[in-house]
């Protein structure tokens, strides 16, 4: 049984990283993530971890160094937010293309311009196609748990992939909440020693990383990458199951909240899912059959399972804290795909998309209530207006 | 050609020195030609060649390895030759 504490999301994640005691941490500070690497640097300075700390001159360099260290054969971490992730973009593809299991907390923040430091999901959604695994977290507890599990998932020898653990900037990263730490030795045992796969620092078996692969083989390598991504789901389930036995906290590919007998539902990520669950309860008390689905594993996306979980509903609103300008919200595109492929008797839920909370704009219970009541009307036969719409915006 | 199921994840090359099998000589449009009579055996060509394509045996320049020589002309440029006469000249391929 772990220790109950009141800490910020950043402190919780920094402690998960301390408990993992990685070989190398390459870092560059950026709000709202800075607090994680700052705390981790203290752990290094105090001798609480054996990690070699590397202060890079940019996020591009931090990720490059992480790639080098991981190829060398070390357990490697870094952390970032927003513009930092954007600057890493080129290297993100290289980390995944080389199958290097780098662990990276991503404290979600809006992208410039205009400059904004607050929480939304534009950064993580922009990294959707980089070949990284993405786990999303509602609160400090989930961010802590996901960080610990991410070592087991990313480093699993069936996959060996880099992994981002996402949590909302400020809303979770800087708010103090109740959560439980596992004991240091429990985490150490759960994560286990680092297993090297084809390390570069092995003079007996010299090897090369990063060859030039042209038209004759590139397509085959990408097919292999697709195959490896396909194995992630089972690894996530297996690791989450084992973690559940250790911690008593259950995790799946996504969370279903009062969904089984629901008629209407929200699909919503991270901290705003917590707010929405309260409103689901309130509407249930009034006899409205509301539910909620909170994705956890966003890459690879569990289309079949999500499709199964939602296909019985009458109306669903997909809530996006990021926009794909000129397209629907990024989560809406996934849910639409999942529903189009879902097998059923031809009856599928009506889908709408709301963009909320950009640049840290508050998402309040009345926002959730308004959307759920609109869904309730659609479920009763009211026509769908605009498919995609901004909410909580001054008109 | 390998199938995708036969590839090493991450495109890691597990064999040392495999680049020796990648012959780059076909890139050449000009080839260096060695004029032995003008050669003073200074080995500047060997030193400057970016592709290790100058064949040196027992400390002596003996000619070029056309499997790897890309025809860049660096050796011909650097060659001092004898009494103003170059020991390496570049000639168009296919001539
Ligand atoms: S032409 Fe260039 S590659 Fe060929 S031998 Fe001379 S220096 Fe080397
Ligand atoms: S640089 Fe010219 S002179 Fe010197 S060894 Fe080479 S070919 Fe001979």
């Amino acid at each position: 049984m772990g220790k109950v504490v009141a800490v910020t999301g950043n402190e919780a994640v920094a402690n998960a990283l301390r408990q993992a005691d990685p070989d190398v941490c390459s870092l560059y500070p950026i709000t709202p993530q800075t607090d994680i690497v700052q705390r981790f640097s203290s752990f290094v300075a105090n001798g609480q971890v054996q990690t070699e700390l590397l202060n890079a001159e940019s996020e591009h360099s931090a990720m490059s160094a992480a790639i080098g260290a991981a190829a060398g054969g070390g357990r490697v971490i870094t952390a970032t937010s927003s513009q930092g992730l954007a600057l890493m973009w080129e290297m993100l593809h290289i980390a995944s293309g080389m199958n290097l299991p780098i662990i990276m907390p991503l404290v979600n923040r809006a992208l410039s311009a205009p400059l904004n430091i607050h929480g939304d999901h534009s950064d993580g959604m922009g990294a959707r196609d980089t070949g990284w695994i993405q786990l999303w977290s509602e609160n400090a507890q989930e961010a802590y748990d996901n960080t610990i599990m991410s070592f087991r998932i990313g480093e699993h020898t069936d996959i060996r992939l880099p992994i981002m653990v996402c949590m909302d900037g400020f809303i979770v990263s800087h708010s103090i909440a109740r959560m439980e730490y596992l004991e240091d030795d429990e985490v150490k045992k759960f994560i286990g020693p680092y297993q090297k796969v084809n390390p570069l620092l092995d003079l007996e078996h010299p090897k090369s990383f990063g060859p030039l692969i042209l038209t004759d083989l590139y397509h085959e390598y990408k097919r292999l990458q697709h195959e490896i991504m396909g194995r992630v789901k089972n690894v996530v389930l297996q690791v989450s199951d084992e973690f559940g036995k250790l911690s008593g906290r259950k995790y799946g590919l996504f969370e279903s909240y009062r969904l089984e007998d629901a008629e209407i539902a929200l699909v919503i990520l991270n901290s705003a899912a917590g707010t929405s669950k309260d409103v689901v309860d309130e509407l249930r008390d009034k006899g409205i059959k509301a539910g909620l689905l909170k994705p956890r594993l966003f890459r690879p996306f569990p289309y079949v399972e999500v499709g199964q979980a939602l296909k019985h509903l009458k109306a669903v609103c997909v809530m996006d804290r990021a926009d794909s300008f000129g397209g629907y919200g990024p989560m809406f595109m996934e849910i639409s795909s999942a529903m189009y492929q879902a097998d059923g008797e031809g009856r599928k839920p009506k889908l709408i998309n709301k963009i909320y909370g950009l640049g840290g704009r508050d998402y309040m219970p009345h926002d959730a209530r308004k959307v759920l009541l609109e869904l309730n009307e659609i479920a009763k036969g009211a026509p769908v207006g605009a498919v995609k719409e901004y909410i909580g915006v001054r008109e | 050609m390998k199938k995708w199921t036969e590839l090493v994840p991450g495109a890691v090359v597990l064999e040392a020195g495999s680049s020796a099998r990648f012959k780059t000589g076909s890139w050449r449009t000009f080839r260096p030609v060695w004029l032995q009579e003008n050669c003073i055996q200074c080995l500047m060509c060997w030193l400057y060649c970016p592709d290790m394509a100058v064949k040196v045996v027992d400390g002596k320049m003996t000619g070029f390895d056309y499997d790897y020589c890309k025809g860049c002309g660096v050796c011909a440029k650097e060659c001092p030759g004898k009494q103003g006469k170059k020991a390496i000249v570049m000639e168009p391929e296919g001539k």
Side-chain angles (χ1 to χ4, degrees), chain A residues 204-392:
Chain A
E204 301 296 310
H205 306 96
K207 53 188 77 72
S208 308
F209 276 73
L212 174 73
I213 305 286
L214 298 177
T215 43
D216 52 355
L217 271 175
Y218 185 87
H219 203 57
E220 279 69 25
Y221 274 109
K222 292 294 138 181
R223 174 65 184 83
L224 176 59
Q225 207 173 331
H226 162 72
E227 184 73 13
I228 293 169
M229 242 337 187
R231 297 177 197 150
V232 172
K233 197 174 74 186
N234 281 340
V235 172
V236 169
L237 288 173
Q238 181 195 320
V239 171
S240 302
D241 186 52
E242 234 183 279
F243 186 82
K245 289 189 184 108
L246 171 70
S247 65
R249 292 184 288 276
K250 285 202 187 336
Y251 290 95
L253 303 172
F254 51 86
E255 180 190 339
S256 296
Y257 188 76
R258 307 191 79 164
L259 203 55
E260 289 68 25
D261 66 335
E263 291 180 346
I264 58 170
L266 299 180
V267 175
I268 189 161
L269 275 173
N270 280 17
S271 64
T275 310
S276 305
K277 283 184 229 170
D278 276 354
V279 179
V280 165
D281 290 346
E282 175 198 308
L283 295 189
R284 282 278 180 168
D285 291 346
K286 290 183 185 149
I288 296 173
K289 289 191 165 173
L292 178 147
L293 185 145
K294 181 186 75 181
R296 176 185 180 225
L297 181 68
F298 183 70
R299 273 294 175 272
F301 195 82
Y303 294 100
V304 175
E305 293 81 354
V306 169
Q308 283 298 324
L310 296 176
K311 70 175 192 191
H312 66 284
L313 295 159
K314 289 185 177 159
V316 172
C317 180
V318 184
M319 307 289 288
D320 269 293
R321 202 166 205 154
D323 197 358
S324 172
F325 302 98
Y328 293 120
M331 183 62 81
F332 184 83
M333 298 188 213
E334 303 301 347
I335 301 300
S336 297
S337 301
M339 298 326 295
Y340 192 81
Q341 303 298 338
D343 52 52
E345 288 79 58
R347 209 202 71 185
K348 299 214 170 119
K350 293 262 191 297
L351 286 184
I352 55 170
N353 185 202
K354 305 287 187 200
I355 309 291
Y356 75 99
L358 299 186
R361 170 63 51 85
D362 280 337
Y363 173 79
M364 305 300 278
H366 62 78
D367 294 314
R369 195 177 302 121
K370 201 168 159 214
V371 174
L372 281 163
L373 291 176
E374 182 184 338
L375 281 180
N376 200 36
E377 293 307 309
I378 292 171
K380 284 192 220 147
V384 171
V387 175
K388 173 185 168 187
E389 201 175 44
Y390 272 58
I391 61 163

Side-chain angles (χ1 to χ4, degrees), chain A residues 21-99:
Chain A
D21 197 358
D23 296 307
V24 176
C25 169
S26 60
L27 60 93
Y28 193 81
I30 184 166
T31 302
Q33 166 281 132
T34 305
D35 192 24
I36 293 178
V37 292
Q38 188 180 337
R39 285 173 191 276
F40 192 80
S41 304
S42 307
F43 298 144
V44 175
N46 297 339
Q48 290 164 279
V49 288
Q50 304 308 308
T51 311
E52 185 167 337
L53 199 74
L54 198 146
N55 280 295
E57 74 273 33
S58 74
E59 285 88 355
H60 188 278
S61 303
M63 184 47 64
S64 302
I67 288 167
R75 172 175 279 159
V76 183
I77 61 160
T78 183
T80 198
S81 291
S82 181
Q83 307 304 120
L85 185 75
L87 187 53
M88 283 179 182
W89 199 80
E90 175 190 15
M91 305 317 293
L92 295 176
H93 289 259
I94 294 177
S96 60
M98 289 186 178
N99 282 88

Side-chain angles (χ1 to χ4, degrees), chain B residues 63-74:
Chain B
F64 300 102
D65 185 341
Y66 292 111
D67 277 350
Y68 302 106
C69 166
K70 295 206 278 275
C72 67
V74 169

Side-chain angles (χ1 to χ4, degrees), chain B residues 39-86:
Chain B
C39 177
I40 58 169
Q41 292 296 345
C42 64
L43 296 189
M44 291 299 267
C45 52
W46 171 80
L47 194 65
Y48 275 93
C49 173
D51 286 288
M52 296 198 296
V54 175
K55 287 201 277 198
V56 172
V57 179
D58 296 332
K60 296 253 189 281
M61 159 61 166
T62 62
F64 300 102
D65 185 341
Y66 292 111
D67 277 350
Y68 302 106
C69 166
K70 295 206 278 275
C72 67
V74 169
C75 55
K77 167 102 171 103
E78 298 300 331
C79 173
K82 201 190 278 176
Q83 293 165 345
K85 281 188 246 149
K86 290 269 184 192

